């Protein structure tokens, strides 16, 4: 029997780990297994490796004197950034600015802070899925201590005006802390935290072909944050507990690969996405791109198929071993429509039929062709069945 091609287009949820990581994990079992806080030579060797990984990441982020804190993932990094910063600076004010379509790890964190007496302004994105600088300017108050904006929206892929926002905030006399959730941007595009005036930058390892259970937070020199947990002195006493050494070594592999090949990966994915979207929009009627296609990451596209239930299409494609999503994996247990699409005023008939396709360096032209054939066939078939009164 001919084996069906497997096409994974849910890379915004997680990515397939690099093959080399199996050897890295084995080496961690055999050699680099010591506790990095131990004083003996084995522990010192592991500690040295961890410092080397931090040095590589900070250099790529163009940070001359910032520090890197390893966490358990993007969610913890976002919690540490937001709660850590507002608890350190709350004597200066209790106002926070974020947006309506941030990741839930941001929205639920600032929501919990509202219960503690903080005020939060939620900026509404425009219908193209973009935050407008003037809305940030209008929202700034005398007691604003934190602005948190994501770099790339995780459902529709739109790129937010981080450079413009950071530049404006840097001119303020009482400059708020600028936190950027960079989970969908980290390593996939070159980021200069100093040029962008970013104070805190969160990322996750498993979005770039490393392992789950590891994330990081860049902290600009001079920026204070308070820990969420207490224990030992690991990670500058900001994140106690023995480090996830296997995850850190795997991250090194993924980071070095992106540093070496980032431009090629970016251009290849950009071309695949363009071909994918062009084929769908030319072969099918009544399809819409959610968010501004021209101001989006090439790694994510969100498409609405009018008259089609997104979940039905998802499960049909799953039977063909094509894996996609209707939105963020972190919000997949809810039955309501995507809050991200709601925030950008996508009509309900489009929300219902929206699918997120997300690509990676492993995505090939043959996979895209196979996925396109199945998507176009199923959408036409579904619409025909609905037109004839069948389900």
């Amino acid at each position: 029997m001919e084996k069906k091609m497997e096409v994974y287009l849910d890379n915004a949820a997680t990515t397939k780990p690099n093959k080399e990581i199996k050897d890295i994990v084995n080496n961690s079992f055999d050699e680099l297994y010591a506790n990095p806080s131990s004083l003996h030579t084995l522990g010192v060797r592991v500690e040295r490796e961890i410092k080397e990984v931090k040095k590589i990441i900070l250099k790529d982020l163009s940070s001359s004197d910032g520090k890197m804190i390893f966490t358990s993932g993007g969610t913890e990094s976002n919690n540490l950034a937001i709660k850590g910063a507002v608890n350190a600076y709350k004597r200066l004010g209790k106002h926070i600015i974020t947006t309506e379509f941030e990741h839930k790890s941001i929205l639920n964190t600032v929501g919990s802070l509202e219960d503690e007496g903080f005020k939060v302004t939620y900026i509404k994105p425009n219908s193209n899925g973009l935050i407008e600088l003037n809305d940030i300017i209008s929202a700034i108050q005398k007691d604003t201590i934190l602005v948190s904006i994501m770099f790339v929206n995780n459902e529709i892929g739109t790129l937010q005006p981080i450079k413009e926002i950071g530049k404006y905030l840097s001119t303020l006399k009482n400059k708020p802390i600028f936190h950027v959730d960079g989970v969908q941007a980290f390593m996939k595009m070159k980021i200069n935290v100093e040029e962008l005036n970013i104070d805190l930058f969160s990322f996750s390892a498993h979005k770039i072909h490393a392992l789950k259970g590891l994330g990081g937070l860049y902290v600009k020199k001079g920026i204070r944050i308070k820990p969420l947990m207490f224990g030992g002195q690991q990670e500058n006493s900001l994140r106690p507990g023995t480090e996830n050494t296997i995850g850190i070594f795997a991250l090194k592999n993924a980071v070095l690969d992106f540093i070496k090949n980032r431009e090629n990966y970016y251009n290849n994915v950009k071309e695949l996405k363009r071909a994918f979207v062009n084929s769908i929009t030319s072969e099918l009627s009544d399809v819409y791109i959610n968010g501004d296609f021209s101001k989006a990451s090439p790694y994510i596209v969100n498409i609405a198929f009018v008259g089609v239930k997104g979940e039905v299409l998802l499960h049909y494609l799953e039977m063909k071993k094509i894996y996609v999503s209707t939105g963020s994996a972190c919000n997949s247990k809810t039955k309501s429509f995507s809050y991200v699409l709601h925030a950008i005023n996508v009509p309900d008939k489009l929300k219902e039929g929206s699918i997120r396709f997300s690509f990676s360096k492993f995505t090939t032209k043959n996979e895209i062709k196979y996925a396109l054939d199945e998507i176009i066939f199923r959408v036409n078939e579904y619409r025909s069945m609905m037109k004839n009164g069948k389900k």
Side-chain angles (χ1 to χ4, degrees):
M1 181 184 290
E2 184 179 354
K3 185 180 178 182
K4 284 183 183 175
M5 180 181 288
E6 181 174 297
V7 183
Y8 184 72
L9 299 178
D10 195 20
N11 292 281
T14 194
T15 53
K16 184 177 182 179
N18 291 334
K19 286 184 178 178
E20 297 84 357
I21 289 176
K22 289 180 181 176
D23 292 334
I24 292 169
V25 171
N26 287 335
N27 188 49
S28 297
F29 289 162
D30 295 336
E31 296 185 26
L32 295 174
Y33 53 82
N35 189 321
S37 296
S38 296
L39 296 179
H40 50 66
T41 53
L42 285 180
V44 170
R45 185 180 169 198
V46 174
E47 182 188 30
R48 193 183 301 128
E49 284 289 318
I50 292 175
K51 286 182 178 177
E52 175 66 16
V53 180
K54 289 185 177 185
K55 186 178 176 183
I56 292 168
I57 294 172
L58 288 170
K59 182 181 179 183
D60 189 68
L61 290 175
S62 302
S63 168
S64 56
D65 53 11
K67 60 187 173 188
M68 180 63 53
I69 309 298
F70 283 129
T71 68
S72 65
T75 290
E76 185 185 337
S77 296
N78 285 336
N79 271 263
L80 179 59
I82 292 173
K83 287 195 169 183
V86 300
N87 284 328
Y89 291 93
K90 59 185 177 185
R91 69 178 178 81
L92 300 177
K94 301 193 86 172
H95 180 234
I96 301 166
I97 296 174
T98 188
T99 78
E100 292 184 1
F101 69 164
E102 296 295 310
H103 188 271
K104 286 292 186 181
S105 61
I106 300 290
L107 294 177
N108 288 337
T109 300
V110 297
S112 72
L113 290 169
E114 285 186 285
D115 296 336
E116 297 176 21
F118 286 88
K119 299 176 296 178
V120 181
T121 297
Y122 298 90
I123 303 294
K124 185 175 181 59
N126 63 27
S127 59
N128 288 323
L130 300 167
I131 293 298
E132 296 186 8
L133 177 61
N134 284 338
D135 289 335
I136 299 288
I137 295 173
S138 299
I140 291 288
Q141 300 177 12
K142 289 182 179 177
D143 63 344
T144 303
I145 56 172
L146 177 74
V147 176
S148 180
I149 310 288
M150 65 188 354
F151 208 112
V152 175
N153 185 276
N154 57 308
E155 287 197 26
I156 57 177
T158 47
L159 288 160
Q160 302 311 309
I162 298 300
K163 183 175 182 179
E164 290 79 4
I165 295 170
K167 183 178 180 181
Y168 165 71
L169 295 178
S170 70
T171 65
L172 298 178
K173 182 179 179 182
N174 298 317
K175 179 187 173 302
I177 304 300
F178 187 28
H179 167 245
V180 173
D181 175 358
V183 166
Q184 297 293 346
F186 178 62
M187 289 295 150
K188 294 175 183 174
M189 49 191 69
K190 185 73 177 82
I191 292 169
N192 184 325
V193 290
E194 294 189 357
E195 188 176 282
L196 297 175
N197 293 292
I198 294 172
D199 297 315
L200 301 167
F201 182 86
S202 307
F203 66 86
S204 173
H206 72 100
K207 308 292 188 182
I208 61 163
H209 310 282
L211 298 178
K212 300 171 186 64
L214 183 75
L217 179 66
Y218 156 78
V219 182
K220 183 180 178 180
K221 185 180 180 182
I223 299 298
R224 292 180 289 114
I225 58 173
K226 291 196 171 183
L228 304 182
M229 300 182 290
F230 300 90
Q233 296 178 328
Q234 295 91 344
E235 301 302 292
N236 298 93
S237 297
L238 290 172
R239 207 282 182 177
T242 305
E243 291 89 344
N244 176 359
T245 54
I246 295 177
I248 293 169
F249 302 150
L251 177 64
K252 179 182 179 181
N253 169 270
V255 164
L256 289 175
D257 180 51
F258 263 101
I259 290 173
K260 181 180 179 182
N261 301 296
R262 177 165 40 218
E263 188 174 347
N264 288 338
Y265 292 157
Y266 187 94
N267 290 333
N268 183 54
V269 167
K270 184 178 179 181
E271 187 57 36
L272 289 175
K273 176 182 171 180
R274 182 184 292 119
F276 182 77
V277 170
N278 286 345
S279 291
I280 285 183
T281 53
S282 63
E283 295 291 332
L284 292 171
S285 60
D286 291 328
V287 292
Y288 299 91
I289 308 300
N290 293 317
D292 190 331
F293 183 79
S294 67
K295 295 179 180 177
S297 163
Y299 287 89
I300 301 173
V301 65
N302 193 303
I303 303 178
F305 301 88
V306 178
V308 176
K309 289 188 177 180
E311 191 170 336
V312 174
L313 180 58
L314 179 152
H315 289 304
Y316 171 79
L317 294 175
E318 181 186 16
M319 289 192 293
K320 300 296 181 181
K321 303 190 81 169
I322 300 167
Y323 303 102
V324 299
S325 71
T326 53
S328 168
C330 294
N331 202 39
S332 63
K333 303 299 182 185
T334 60
K335 296 295 183 185
S336 56
F337 291 141
S338 160
Y339 69 93
V340 171
L341 300 184
H342 179 75
I344 65 171
N345 294 325
V346 173
D348 284 350
K349 69 174 184 178
L350 299 187
K351 289 179 197 157
E352 185 180 48
S354 291
I355 294 282
R356 179 183 70 180
F357 303 93
S358 48
F359 314 99
S360 83
K361 65 176 185 176
F362 291 136
T363 309
T364 68
K365 289 181 179 178
N366 285 340
E367 290 174 354
I368 291 296
K369 183 179 183 307
Y370 173 65
L372 281 167
D373 288 344
E374 293 295 340
I375 292 166
I376 292 167
F377 173 79
R378 181 56 183 170
V379 169
N380 281 328
E381 181 187 60
Y382 185 93
R383 286 173 171 169
S384 177
M385 289 170 62
M386 296 304 291
K387 186 177 180 181
N388 294 323
K390 298 178 182 178
K391 291 185 179 179

